[in-house]
Amino acid sequence: DETQVDVVDPIFAATHLWLSNYIGPNDGIVSVASAQWGHVLSELPADHFDMVGQVLGSSATFDHVQFYSELAAFLCDERAEAPVYALNY
């Protein structure tokens, strides 16, 4: 969605800008295009720090424990719902 604001942690600002100019959308470390493998559910509203629960993450609302718990359930049981974050972003 082109109307969404790309929130990037300030520590990744320089690399985010460089990658944006040469590669496209990214989180300051990895481009969206290079992160998409297999069946992609959606992009997450989280950067690398958020994904591992670090204090420096840019998202105050991303719950990495909840996300990985839901992801594990989804991967173990094809009837489980996809992780909330992946569907609602």
Side-chain angles (χ1 to χ4, degrees):
D1 183 353
E2 295 295 323
T3 62
Q4 290 180 324
V5 175
D6 190 8
V7 178
V8 175
D9 195 275
I11 199 165
F12 298 133
T15 54
H16 176 262
L17 181 61
W18 187 87
L19 287 169
S20 294
N21 288 331
Y22 294 98
I23 298 173
N26 67 89
D27 72 351
I29 296 179
V30 176
S31 71
V32 171
S34 70
Q36 296 178 340
W37 292 89
H39 179 76
V40 178
L41 298 173
S42 183
E43 295 173 32
L44 295 174
D47 62 23
H48 275 69
F49 286 139
D50 296 320
M51 295 299 293
V52 296
Q54 292 295 312
V55 178
L56 297 175
S58 61
S59 174
T61 60
F62 184 79
D63 183 340
H64 69 287
V65 173
Q66 177 186 351
F67 172 74
Y68 284 115
S69 295
E70 292 175 4
L71 180 60
F74 175 70
L75 294 173
C76 289
D77 182 355
E78 63 186 42
R79 294 167 296 178
E81 291 188 28
V84 171
Y85 290 107
L87 294 176
N88 293 332
Y89 177 63

